[in-house]
Amino acid sequence: MLQSLQAIEAYREGGWPAGEGYPWLEYIVQAEQTIVNLERIESLQELAQQNPVLDYVERSLRVLDSLPLSYWIKELAEETLIWSEAAKGGTLRQRRSWQEESVNIFVHNIGSAQLYQRYADSVLQEEAGSAEKRRVIHTLIETHGLIGQQIRGEVPPAVNLPLSGLVEQGLLSAGELERLLFALNHCIIAAVSPELWQEVRLQVMELIAVIASGNLQPEVPMKERLRRMRAGSIAQGEDYETEWDLLVQEGFLPGALELLQPATFWYVESALQTFSLEQFLKVMSLVAASGPLELSHLSFEAVMNSIHYDYKGSKKINVYKKRIIEKYLSELSWEEIYSGAKPSGGNPHLTHRLLGKEHLPDTLFFHFEFSAAAEKLIEFCMEAEKSALYERAVLLLFDLFDLRRDAFDRFHNEDTYLSQMNDTADYKAVILDYVTGRKVLDIGPGGGVLLDLIEERMPEVVAVGIDISSNVIEALRQRKQREDRRWEVLQGDALNLKEDIEPGTVDTVIFSSILHELYSYVPLDGRKFNHSTVAAALSSAFGVLADGGTIIIRDGIMSEPEDQQRRVRFLEADGMAWLERYAKDFAGRNIRYEPLGAQEVLMPVNDAMEFLYTYTWGEEAYIHEVQEQFGYFTPSQYAAFIEQTLGDRAKIEVFRHYLQEGYTEALQDRVEIMDEHGEPVPLPDSTCFIVIRKADGTTAAPSAPATDHENWRQPK
């Protein structure tokens, strides 16, 4: 067994290795600050109970111990591995002292090499023939991990030139360097993940051969380096080349990033992988526009640490901060970035910073700085996640950063939510029976279920989804790339479609469960829950619609007559508390109820149904559902509204309303619904299905709709 492994085992058994010469172990085990790449960490809480640096060093040494290597190669590799993480260790006092002495503890390969050099100069200088060995080990520590980072695009090829220098100086033969580098990288990468080693093994071998030959490329274009840094996003479906070209058209200047060519990037993938390519490139452009001309190291460690936290025991992206950062970057124009101007209309609670450290002139640290009030509110949201305060905390966050819910999506269940939307394919297939023409526009496509259905069942049709949410569009674009889909997506405003779509060119516009969200979330004339918003959306759709084209609406409906009363008897102990909380939190309108007992109330039928929509979805969705008003018209009101909004050229060809399948089953063990006399009655209709055709300009369309009141059971 390696001597270093014996030392670690002695420490783990509660003792200390006999003799002296283990300063590397002292540094690592005395670490008072956890410094680790969070990319492959499952839980931050577990880090507090471990020494991840010691664990990693031990894993790398165990790999080395298992390899069939010559004594000389194994000895050099062992000495390199035990020192290569030293700069991540030390007490806080030691680390402050190191920093004052210009040890770069933030770039751990450089800092570790400096610590090794100090040890070698003070302890090993008298060993015969040790100078050459020390130079080799120092170089290996200084370039520790850089081969893997070059593959990931995080460092320029020039950083590995010192390795080629070992051959040029006669310290190692080319063959010895290849064997040594192969062993070291096997240990370094397999200690992270054996699967990762198998994945990159051939690339590592190819790069080692180039290094040993001394024929390293002087540099790789920044576009290619950044592509490698986006490998995870590209694997998820990001169309790097197409999106890059689109951003160039919007004002992105690729040449400006060449200033970053000499720099090494630290923690960039852990910090920025979940952001879109546009957001990623804006961050890089901010650095290039404001960083010093001679920049050697750029660290995103602060972003990485602040953007992750534990949610229900697992490491998650801090979606509160992420969405706020996304909004900040979206409002930052390319012109503002290159001019160094502050964002126009920016929020005073967030800004970006490029900071240096004393004694480290070649190293910069990028991070997003939240105001103290914002940090406290975000912490409050995190602490309140499992309490009744959560929805109020999140609403405060919306207000502080002027976040629109439709652009914000869900917090923790966003992926699940989009997946559930895709699971409704059979429910939405009925819409296809009313699709006309070749170009179909799906407003608010969500997970893309309708786009998939149209593509698969109507191959002659061109389907386009449009959404205001950059997150929805990003997810759809990635899925389109992964699955090689033909449909298209656009980011745009449903209230102003002509900005993105030529008027008169669309044959079918679909509003599937989206108009009630526009009504609830989008303020018009300073007011949400506004019928004018629905009118603006319908008028916008009618404007891009071709003559003979159709608008298909599938959305909530209210019951009529509106003065009907319903008794609601709760079968769950907390049902009444749910209603009391809902009535207080719901902003759409005043929810009225008259208590008839400890577990029973009398309510107007539409207030009862509006509450039951949220009650059905449960606690996880409460914060979102309580902000939405699903029913906003009765059938006769809706028909009159369409006629008034769209005029004589709008012909209502289909108007049905029905109870969405699933509500009765979901509520049967939770509530009893009765009429005002206490007799059991079924739930009223929840959903409408409307088809509107646009007559040509020479023919007036009949304005009187045929309203069908049948209980047409098609799920939402």
Side-chain angles (χ1 to χ4, degrees):
M1 180 185 292
L2 296 175
Q3 187 178 21
S4 54
L5 278 176
Q6 293 174 356
I8 292 174
E9 287 190 357
Y11 165 74
R12 291 199 184 278
E13 290 170 1
W16 192 257
E20 298 181 359
Y22 299 99
W24 59 272
L25 185 56
E26 290 183 15
Y27 293 155
I28 294 173
V29 301
Q30 290 175 357
E32 295 177 350
Q33 183 175 343
T34 301
I35 302 170
V36 63
N37 192 328
L38 300 180
E39 190 174 342
R40 295 177 181 271
I41 300 299
E42 299 296 326
S43 169
L44 302 185
Q45 186 175 3
E46 292 177 4
L47 289 179
Q49 302 162 357
Q50 301 172 351
N51 185 326
V53 176
L54 179 61
D55 294 343
Y56 172 74
V57 171
E58 182 177 2
R59 289 196 303 272
S60 68
L61 290 168
R62 293 200 181 280
V63 175
L64 178 63
D65 198 38
S66 69
L67 298 179
L69 301 169
S70 69
Y71 176 81
W72 166 246
I73 295 293
K74 186 167 285 192
E75 182 184 20
L76 290 174
E78 180 181 13
E79 193 75 3
T80 301
L81 292 174
I82 62 178
W83 279 97
S84 290
E85 305 291 324
K88 294 182 179 180
T91 64
L92 294 178
R93 183 175 180 179
Q94 279 179 311
R95 293 180 67 78
R96 283 193 296 269
S97 175
W98 291 343
Q99 191 173 345
E100 291 169 1
E101 296 164 3
S102 298
V103 175
N104 197 335
I105 59 176
F106 304 100
V107 180
H108 70 269
N109 60 311
I110 301 295
S112 295
Q114 291 171 315
L115 292 175
Y116 170 78
Q117 188 65 56
R118 288 168 27 145
Y119 166 73
D121 289 345
S122 63
V123 177
L124 303 178
Q125 72 273 22
E126 296 180 1
E127 293 183 12
S130 66
E132 291 78 8
K133 177 182 174 183
R134 293 201 308 271
R135 286 169 60 190
V136 170
I137 293 172
H138 180 271
T139 301
L140 293 172
I141 297 171
E142 193 175 45
T143 56
H144 173 77
L146 296 185
I147 287 177
Q149 287 183 271
Q150 185 176 338
I151 291 172
R152 287 158 61 103
E154 295 167 342
V155 301
V159 298
N160 282 313
L161 283 173
L163 292 172
S164 302
L166 294 176
V167 176
E168 295 173 4
Q169 297 163 31
L171 297 173
L172 293 173
S173 69
E176 286 173 330
L177 180 62
E178 287 196 48
R179 291 194 296 276
L180 184 53
L181 290 180
F182 186 79
L184 277 173
N185 280 274
H186 186 171
C187 298
I188 292 167
I189 299 172
V192 174
S193 163
E195 294 76 20
L196 179 61
W197 167 244
Q198 293 302 322
E199 181 182 328
V200 301
R201 181 173 176 270
L202 291 179
Q203 289 176 276
V204 169
M205 291 176 65
E206 291 172 1
L207 188 50
I208 287 173
V210 172
I211 292 171
S213 71
N215 295 321
L216 273 168
Q217 287 179 267
E219 60 182 41
V220 174
M222 281 306 299
K223 181 178 181 180
E224 176 57 30
R225 286 184 60 189
L226 294 171
R227 183 201 304 273
R228 297 178 190 180
M229 293 184 213
R230 299 293 293 176
S233 300
I234 292 170
Q236 290 297 313
E238 178 177 280
D239 189 345
Y240 182 85
E241 199 69 34
T242 300
E243 291 185 36
W244 179 285
D245 291 342
L246 288 173
L247 293 172
V248 170
Q249 295 175 24
E250 294 171 7
F252 165 54
L253 302 176
L257 296 181
E258 293 302 322
L259 292 172
L260 303 179
Q261 183 58 251
T264 64
F265 294 78
W266 298 92
Y267 305 106
V268 63
E269 192 158 7
S270 292
L272 301 177
Q273 182 180 1
T274 61
F275 290 91
S276 71
L277 180 62
E278 177 181 359
Q279 294 152 6
F280 175 82
L281 292 177
K282 281 186 173 180
V283 169
M284 295 300 172
S285 297
L286 286 170
V287 176
S290 55
L293 294 178
E294 294 184 5
L295 173 64
S296 297
H297 306 288
L298 176 61
S299 174
F300 291 92
E301 184 178 5
V303 179
M304 175 190 71
N305 288 331
S306 69
I307 206 73
H308 291 95
Y309 81 122
D310 275 346
Y311 175 71
K312 294 185 177 179
S314 298
K315 184 200 74 178
K316 295 287 186 182
I317 292 294
N318 188 322
V319 73
Y320 312 102
K321 288 188 173 181
K322 181 173 182 283
R323 292 292 187 261
I324 295 164
I325 292 169
E326 287 171 340
K327 184 173 188 290
Y328 174 82
L329 292 172
S330 71
E331 294 175 346
L332 192 60
S333 71
W334 293 109
E335 292 78 11
E336 288 170 332
I337 291 173
Y338 299 129
S339 67
K342 291 185 177 181
S344 55
N347 193 294
H349 294 285
L350 175 64
T351 190
H352 68 276
R353 300 283 187 202
L354 265 173
L355 301 175
K357 300 283 185 182
E358 193 176 0
H359 313 299
L360 298 176
D362 66 344
T363 304
L364 276 183
F365 302 81
F366 183 96
H367 77 113
F368 292 102
E369 185 176 279
F370 289 83
S371 69
E375 288 282 6
K376 291 295 184 184
L377 183 51
I378 291 168
E379 288 176 17
F380 180 48
C381 289
M382 292 159 58
E383 290 296 322
E385 282 171 346
K386 298 179 181 179
S387 76
L389 294 172
Y390 177 61
E391 61 271 9
R392 301 191 182 197
V394 173
L395 291 175
L396 288 171
L397 198 68
F398 287 173
D399 291 339
L400 185 67
F401 287 96
D402 191 27
L403 295 166
R404 276 171 51 174
R405 185 332 225 135
D406 57 330
F408 208 89
D409 302 324
R410 266 65 178 164
F411 280 117
H412 298 296
N413 65 334
E414 180 179 340
D415 292 340
T416 304
Y417 173 70
L418 292 178
S419 176
Q420 287 173 343
M421 292 184 74
N422 281 348
D423 289 341
T424 63
D426 290 340
Y427 299 163
K428 295 188 176 182
V430 66
I431 290 175
L432 272 60
D433 294 339
Y434 298 91
V435 168
T436 60
R438 292 197 68 254
K439 185 173 182 179
V440 176
L441 190 63
D442 181 15
I443 310 292
V449 57
L450 267 177
L451 299 176
D452 290 345
L453 285 170
I454 293 168
E455 176 179 315
E456 293 162 6
R457 303 187 189 184
M458 308 179 77
E460 74 285 358
V461 169
V462 177
V464 180
I466 188 166
D467 203 296
I468 199 166
S469 167
S470 61
N471 306 300
V472 169
I473 295 301
E474 180 72 12
L476 285 171
R477 283 176 176 161
Q478 289 186 5
R479 191 164 75 80
K480 169 183 166 65
Q481 182 75 1
R482 284 197 311 271
E483 301 176 10
D484 195 25
R485 292 286 182 174
R486 291 185 293 104
W487 42 253
E488 298 293 338
V489 289
L490 295 172
Q491 184 172 3
D493 188 350
L495 306 191
N496 198 13
L497 292 172
K498 65 182 181 181
E499 289 293 315
D500 300 284
I501 298 164
E502 185 179 348
T505 61
V506 178
D507 299 303
T508 301
V509 179
I510 300 171
F511 292 97
S512 181
S513 296
I514 195 67
L515 282 174
H516 77 274
E517 296 203 354
L518 298 177
Y519 171 77
S520 301
Y521 296 116
V522 179
L524 202 62
D525 301 325
R527 186 163 57 90
K528 297 180 182 180
F529 300 99
N530 191 343
H531 290 124
S532 297
T533 306
V534 181
L538 292 178
S539 298
S540 175
F542 209 67
V544 299
L545 203 63
D547 289 353
T550 59
I551 294 175
I552 302 173
I553 300 171
R554 196 157 160 274
D555 214 27
I557 199 73
M558 298 169 71
S559 293
E560 53 188 4
E562 294 183 78
D563 59 0
Q564 295 177 81
Q565 298 287 308
R566 289 291 181 266
R567 289 191 182 195
V568 180
R569 179 179 297 152
F570 293 103
L571 305 180
E572 296 177 319
D574 63 348
M576 186 67 81
W578 256 84
L579 176 58
E580 292 171 354
R581 179 172 57 147
Y582 179 84
K584 184 183 297 183
D585 293 341
F586 184 62
R589 64 172 185 268
N590 182 34
I591 298 296
R592 297 164 293 165
Y593 63 93
E594 176 188 346
L596 301 178
Q599 292 291 92
E600 188 172 330
V601 294
L602 182 67
M603 303 179 68
V605 62
N606 289 312
D607 288 354
M609 283 302 291
E610 201 61 54
F611 162 69
L612 290 174
Y613 297 139
T614 297
Y615 189 58
T616 302
W617 283 98
E619 189 67 41
E620 182 80 8
Y622 181 87
I623 179 56
H624 307 288
E625 300 301 329
V626 75
Q627 298 178 74
E628 298 181 11
Q629 182 170 318
F630 189 51
Y632 47 93
F633 283 128
T634 66
S636 58
Q637 289 170 347
Y638 217 146
F641 178 81
I642 291 170
E643 179 182 352
Q644 179 182 353
T645 301
L646 301 182
D648 291 342
R649 293 185 64 192
K651 174 185 176 183
I652 299 178
E653 294 190 341
V654 178
F655 197 130
R656 297 168 174 162
H657 46 94
Y658 53 91
L659 176 63
Q660 177 183 321
E661 191 173 289
Y663 278 125
T664 299
E665 294 75 15
L667 291 168
Q668 62 185 359
D669 296 325
R670 304 181 69 192
V671 296
E672 291 180 357
I673 307 297
M674 300 164 283
D675 64 18
E676 56 199 283
H677 306 296
E679 295 297 323
V681 291
L683 292 169
D685 291 348
S686 63
T687 308
C688 65
F689 187 88
I690 306 171
V691 179
I692 308 165
R693 188 172 298 278
K694 182 178 184 179
D696 63 44
T698 59
T699 304
S703 59
T707 304
D708 183 358
H709 293 269
E710 68 177 328
N711 188 29
W712 192 60
R713 288 178 169 271
Q714 292 289 341
K716 177 181 175 184

